[in-house]
Amino acid sequence: MSYLDQTLTFTNNKICYLENDVELQVMMDWEDSIMSASAVYICQNGGDILEIGFGMGISAGYIQSHSITSHTIIENHPDVIPKAQAWAQGKPNITIINGSWYDIKNSLSTYNGLFYDTWGDDDMDQFSSSLSSLIKPEGIATWWNNEPTATNFYNIPNVTYDTHNVTPTENCYFNSTTYYLPKWQH
């Protein structure tokens, strides 16, 4: 069963689902400091921000705490979309786009900052080759990095890393105590 077909469970500290009676976590609140650092990085020059993946909305809240012009959020999971829409109520600089980022990438603008953090994304292997077309000259990007070293799954060149000490609770996706925050500039 595809991730998009899974029924998600939302609690105060995580989003998860069951697959073959095993709980798989999509996002957890221990990521808070990473989401904050990611927002600081992509919002440092202000302007227009693209966030691919809403999740628990942690990063979105941090992005909104910065002086930015616009904040476009793309979310594809049908259980998360209504939560993103409700969260965006009364925030005039936010646009929520429902669907696959890859399917609509050619209709998007370009952005000063981009944060990519998805789960179960069938098009994640297209992120590296699509990055430059989504970023303005001198724009910056970061993404969720599952690698326990200063490397990235996407093999994006010219990336630097900030290290962050983290204390993940038990989960299925990241269990290192050091997080390597990727930083890329167009």
Side-chain angles (χ1 to χ4, degrees):
M1 180 182 290
S2 162
Y3 164 67
L4 295 178
D5 296 324
Q6 298 287 348
T7 299
L8 301 180
T9 299
F10 298 83
T11 68
N12 287 340
N13 64 347
K14 66 185 171 186
I15 300 172
C16 60
Y17 62 94
L18 290 178
E19 186 172 274
N20 300 322
D21 294 323
V22 175
E23 180 183 282
L24 298 176
Q25 302 83 23
V26 174
M27 184 172 191
M28 301 178 78
D29 65 353
W30 69 262
E31 300 174 37
D32 188 274
S33 65
I34 296 168
M35 298 297 110
S36 175
S38 297
V40 167
Y41 177 65
I42 64 163
C43 295
Q44 67 185 335
N45 299 322
D48 302 309
I49 305 299
L50 175 61
E51 181 176 14
I52 301 174
F54 180 76
M56 294 173 69
I58 299 170
S59 54
Y62 284 119
I63 289 167
Q64 281 294 298
S65 73
H66 294 274
S67 295
I68 59 171
T69 305
S70 72
H71 183 184
T72 301
I73 301 169
I74 303 172
E75 177 57 53
N76 65 349
H77 197 286
D79 292 347
V80 178
I81 291 167
K83 294 185 177 299
Q85 292 169 329
W87 177 86
Q89 291 280 324
K91 298 177 178 81
N93 69 335
I94 295 179
T95 301
I96 303 290
I97 300 173
N98 306 336
S100 161
W101 70 272
Y102 187 73
D103 290 349
I104 60 144
K105 70 179 177 54
N106 294 330
S107 68
L108 294 171
S109 183
T110 55
Y111 300 87
N112 301 97
L114 182 151
F115 181 44
Y116 176 82
D117 183 5
T118 65
W119 176 269
D121 182 2
D122 292 336
D123 297 308
M124 66 188 288
D125 58 337
Q126 303 300 318
F127 177 63
S128 179
S129 62
S130 303
L131 185 56
S132 291
S133 68
L134 296 170
I135 299 288
K136 293 178 181 181
E138 305 301 316
I140 54 182
T142 190
W143 51 90
W144 176 261
N145 186 21
N146 273 344
E147 302 299 319
T149 60
T151 58
N152 70 81
F153 170 85
Y154 304 105
N155 297 312
I156 297 170
N158 305 314
V159 175
T160 60
Y161 298 88
D162 284 349
T163 58
H164 296 266
N165 294 326
V166 294
T167 309
T169 54
E170 184 178 337
N171 68 80
C172 64
Y173 60 92
F174 189 85
N175 289 290
S176 176
T177 57
T178 303
Y179 179 81
Y180 291 86
L181 177 76
K183 297 167 72 175
W184 179 84
Q185 183 170 357
H186 193 265

